[in-house]
Amino acid sequence: MIMQHPIQAPSVALDSSERKRPEEALRESEERFRTLVQFSFDVYWETDAQHRFIRQEFAETLPEPPVSEIGKTRWEVPYLEPDADGWRKHREMLDAHLPFRDFELARPTPEGGKRYISVSGLPIFDTTGNFVGYRGVGRHITERKRAEQALIESEARFRTFVDHATDTFMLHSEDGHVLDVNRNACESLGYSRAELVGATAALFDLDMDEATWRSNRERLKAGDIATLERRYCRKDGTVFPVEVRMREFCERGQSRVICLSRDITERKRTAETLREMQAELTHANRAAAMGQVTASVTHELSQPITAVLCNAEAALNWLGTQSPDLEKAQQALASIVAEATRGGEIISWIRSLIKKAPAPKESVDVNRAIMDVITMARSELLKHDVLIQTDLAPGLPLVEGYRVQLQQVVLNLILNAIEAMNGVDVGERELRISTAADASNLVVVAVRDTGPGLDVAMVDRLFEPFYTTKPHGTGMGLSICQSIIEAHRGRLWTDANEPRGAVFQFSLPSDQG
Ligand code: ADP
């Protein structure tokens, strides 16, 4: 701000009879003035009408001893700043005898550095209105200048950092307009800075409109970082997935939203590959488990085939006599149809277990699914002298899910239990499978064995992939079981069985939950 009115030098008329007192008063006033300079400014100066320094008073607090410039004009002392143009403008002001305030200049220091000073001055006129010079003050501002410079440099550094980041940075105003972008934003979207600044995110964000922006901002109000998945569209029309982190903050009283987005094409691809690999593994595990129970499967299939043969022979007999018994032949043929249907069912069930493509989700009757698995595992149970007992709760609510996968879990748990009981005496090998619905209608399935039980120290590791204590184990069974149960929004856990052995249990949310 420039001071508006030049002031006049006060004229002091002294009465000779009061000479001593005014001298005293002058000395006191000088002292007061010096104290003022000492505590308020770094330098007090006066120049004459030719801008020559005629007085300089320095504060005692100055870090280095000041060099007096008395007798030199302003232009005779060395300056590093401002440049010639800055000086020319300042000189115009001085020549026009105008007041000035906070004129910043830099002088060289003896060590070759810069000392910044902010100077203010008032033109002085005598009683007849003639310009007699300037009076003014100066303040050393080197520290402040350094801090400002450091800030500018750190902002420039930050800018370089942001520009070289592989993520996209965008600064938005409250209403969603882009205020600033980094280089990656332009490179990844194919727009120039000028095209992006001033536009809204709707230019490149396929899922963004005014309402979405508003609701996102409302979520941000809490001061949290919101993380969203979105689809960005480049200028050439190609689309790629991004993860966006948004945060609102205040910049000079204005609300701003900073968005940092990262291209997640690779991450998505990896997740997809992982999913595929897991599906492959799940299938391989199922096929391996099926391999272990082939004897039961063969047995299950041979039963309807034998029945079909017997009934066909009987039908032939009933029809081959002199007076064919049509009614009996019809009964035999009906049995053939029933047994063939049963055989067909077994085949399609086995096929569904072995098939790679997942069957659609369905409402699963958990008790029935378990009974089918027990049928499959029967010969394995017999071979290892394991007594099986079931305690299936009647009227169990249905579970929404993939029947085959849930059966795979039960089959894995049964096979693990059989293997665990191999080491205990025949006659003590008992497998008990129970189902129940708990108070919140979760369906809980428990598979208990009377094997050696679980090593307490290792319980946490059982579900880790590749953890196995068996010479030919894969260590994938329980890990796959867990991921299947979790995909059904359920939980799989383990406990000690009473009086011995292990219990593996899982719970699943039901239709009625
Ligand atoms: P694998 O059967 O190939 O070893 P799993 O993931 O199915 O892989 O099982 C991991 C480990 O958990 C087994 O090696 C075994 O040590 C332990 N385990 C699993 N079921 C039981 C059980 N019923 N009783 C005792 N230990 C078990």
Side-chain angles (χ1 to χ4, degrees), residues 2 6 45-53 73-77 79 82 86-101 103 105 107 119-125 131-136:
I2 292 183
W45 52 266
E46 284 177 21
T47 50
D48 63 11
Q50 283 72 47
H51 305 296
R52 192 182 311 277
F53 288 108
T73 64
R74 277 190 193 287
W75 348 110
E76 284 167 346
V77 292
Y79 295 100
W87 267 112
R88 193 183 42 75
K89 282 190 193 133
H90 186 58
R91 184 160 187 171
E92 279 169 15
M93 265 179 121
L94 294 175
D95 289 343
H97 306 153
L98 290 171
F100 62 90
R101 176 169 273 208
F103 175 64
L105 49 92
R107 295 195 169 173
V119 194
S120 302
L122 269 183
I124 307 296
F125 301 89
F131 171 68
V132 292
Y134 268 92
R135 283 181 200 162

Side-chain angles (χ1 to χ4, degrees), residues 416-417 420 449 453-454 462 467-470 473-479 502 504:
N416 271 350
D449 64 57
L454 302 163
L462 296 185
Y467 174 79
T468 181
T469 54
K470 302 170 191 166
T474 60
M476 289 304 296
L478 288 177
S479 139
F504 282 84

